[in-house]
């Protein structure tokens, strides 16, 4: 079911990357889930999924999006301004949530969140809830982008570092230029080479790690394979494991 939302705020991170706050009657959701945004063009509905960046409990949803060259919907989303209307699904969905991560003995001590590009969004939503901090000793956010200017929500991430100095480890990865403090290789390579574990100071292991991976499908396949090599397994409802993924395309 579609409801009409109203854009109440827009933030441009760079000339392609932007966030929209949309006031809409969206049912209660779980951090990590996504809604769809939609426009009708020539009597045809164009609908695309967008992860919610803000934690549950507000009367708006915030999304982080990139305007894909020659994309059908995203360039139009980029042209929206406060006051403009956009259709939103009333119900959010998606299984890349902390509910889906095994509890108890199977959980392990460390939560690893691996994102490329806009896929940092659902992880920001999770990190702004209490759950990861109550369930895990260490929480690692790995955020890979092409250029430093593509790193969104750095203020929020900094606030999290200040709030959870012992628990939170942030690893930016910038692949197409040097950026102080960031790794320069892609996420799968950082896993395979051991560079990521070295940088974070903890090991990726079947016993101690839960890994959520989101974003570019090529990155997800390669990162998953790298983790399988380390002995981790896919997390499925019937057979709990350590790797939970959501592909954006
Ligand atoms: C579960 C889920 C959640 C998603 N959440 C987000 C989100 O929070 N923010 C967001 O920007 N997109 C998100 N997407 C992707 C989004 O649904 C659209 O595919 C995207 O906005 C492009 O739509 P389009 O109509 O402009 O392009 P299309 O004409 O549909 O072109 C699609 C192509 O665009 C590229 N592409 C799509 N999404 C991205 C992306 N995020 N980053 C880089 N390249 C991309 C790929 O090459 C893809 O083949 C999500 C997708 C899924 C399945
Ligand atoms: N100036 C522009 O026109 C411009 C600028 C930015 C974005 N865009 C639009 O945005 C889209 C791309 O968005 P994006 O940069 O956010 O996402 P992206 O292409 O998925 O890149 C994000 C990060 O993921 C890495 N990556 C890509 N493929 C990978 C793989 N197979 N395995 C591991 N890592 C991988 C990239 O590394 P690499 O750097 O090594 O690829 C980069 O660090 C484009 O389709 C384009 O439409 C346009």
């Amino acid at each position: 079911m579609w409801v009409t939302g109203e854009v109440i705020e827009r933030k441009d991170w760079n000339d392609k990357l932007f966030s929209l706050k949309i006031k809409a009657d969206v049912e209660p959701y779980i951090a990590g889930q996504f809604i769809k945004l939609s426009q009708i063009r020539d009597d045809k509905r164009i609908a695309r999924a967008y992860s919610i960046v803000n934690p549950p409990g507000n009367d708006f949803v915030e999304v982080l999006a990139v305007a894909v060259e020659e994309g059908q919907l995203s360039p139009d989303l980029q042209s929206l301004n406060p006051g403009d209307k956009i259709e939103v699904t009333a119900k959010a969905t998606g299984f890349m949530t902390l509910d889906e991560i095994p509890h108890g003995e199977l959980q392990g001590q460390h939560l690893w969140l691996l994102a490329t590009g806009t896929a940092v969004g659902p992880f920001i939503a999770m990190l702004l809830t209490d759950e990861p901090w109550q369930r895990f000793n260490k929480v690692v956010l790995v955020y890979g982008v092409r250029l430093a200017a593509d790193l969104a929500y750095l203020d929020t991430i900094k606030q999290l570092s200040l709030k959870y100095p012992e628990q939170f480890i942030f690893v930016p990865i910038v692949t197409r230029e040097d950026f102080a403090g960031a790794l320069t290789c892609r996420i799968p390579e950082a896993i395979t080479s051991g560079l990521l574990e070295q940088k974070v100071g903890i090991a990726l292991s079947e016993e101690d790690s839960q890994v959520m991976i989101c974003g570019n499908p090529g990155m997800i396949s390669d990162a998953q394979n790298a983790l399988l090599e380390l002995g981790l397994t896919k997390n499925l409802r019937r057979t709990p494991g350590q790797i939970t993924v959501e592909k954006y395309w």
Side-chain angles (χ1 to χ4, degrees):
M1 193 185 73
W2 296 96
V3 294
T4 302
E6 181 182 329
V7 176
I8 52 171
E9 204 177 304
R10 164 165 142 205
K11 177 171 173 69
D12 294 292
W13 303 95
N14 61 39
D15 64 341
K16 294 283 173 193
L17 187 67
F18 58 99
S19 293
L20 295 174
K21 270 188 197 171
I22 302 165
K23 193 168 164 37
D25 215 352
V26 172
E27 292 172 24
Y29 58 89
I30 306 168
Q33 290 190 314
F34 62 88
I35 39 95
K36 284 189 177 180
L37 298 179
S38 160
Q39 284 182 341
I40 306 277
R41 286 197 216 133
D42 303 327
D43 291 333
K44 220 180 128 209
R45 183 178 287 284
I46 300 169
R48 296 285 185 272
Y50 296 91
S51 300
I52 306 173
V53 183
N54 56 312
N58 302 290
D59 64 352
F60 63 85
V61 286
E62 180 166 341
V63 297
L64 169 66
V66 66
V68 172
E69 259 159 75
E70 296 180 22
Q72 280 194 67
L73 187 68
S74 57
D76 277 34
L77 295 180
Q78 194 188 21
S79 66
L80 292 175
N81 284 304
D84 289 342
K85 302 280 194 278
I86 179 83
E87 290 201 46
V88 185
T89 44
K91 199 167 161 37
T93 52
F95 298 104
M96 203 197 53
T97 60
L98 288 169
D99 297 31
E100 299 291 328
I101 302 297
H103 288 71
E105 273 179 25
L106 292 175
Q107 174 182 297
Q109 299 193 63
H110 307 141
L111 176 65
W112 297 71
L113 307 173
L114 315 183
T116 49
T118 53
V120 73
F123 294 148
I124 296 287
M126 287 177 204
L127 294 171
L128 290 172
T129 68
D130 292 335
E131 190 171 353
W133 313 105
Q134 289 170 348
R135 286 181 59 188
F136 296 92
N137 290 344
K138 298 277 183 202
V139 178
V140 183
L141 174 65
V142 181
Y143 177 14
V145 295
R146 296 178 181 187
L147 302 171
D150 297 329
L151 289 167
Y153 294 98
L154 284 183
D155 279 357
T156 307
I157 292 168
K158 196 172 171 195
Q159 291 303 317
L160 289 165
S161 299
L162 292 171
K163 192 169 176 189
Y164 305 102
E166 302 300 323
Q167 261 179 298
F168 186 46
I169 301 159
F170 174 51
V171 182
I173 295 188
V174 178
T175 45
R176 299 195 186 185
E177 64 182 357
D178 286 330
F179 181 61
L183 298 180
T184 50
C185 62
R186 287 175 161 193
I187 290 174
E189 192 190 326
I191 297 171
T192 308
S193 65
L195 195 61
L196 185 59
E197 289 168 298
Q198 196 186 318
K199 174 101 177 162
V200 170
I202 52 178
L204 279 159
S205 72
E206 185 192 350
E207 297 76 31
D208 272 334
S209 316
Q210 281 295 332
V211 188
M212 303 177 96
I213 321 176
C214 190
N216 185 304
M219 178 280 290
I220 292 177
S221 301
D222 291 353
Q224 184 164 279
N225 287 336
L227 293 167
L228 292 172
E229 286 287 313
L230 293 177
L232 284 77
T233 57
K234 277 195 193 182
N235 178 38
L236 304 170
R237 280 194 170 163
R238 268 187 300 161
T239 49
Q242 302 82 36
I243 310 169
T244 306
V245 309
E246 183 172 78
K247 293 186 177 178
Y248 267 13
W249 66 92

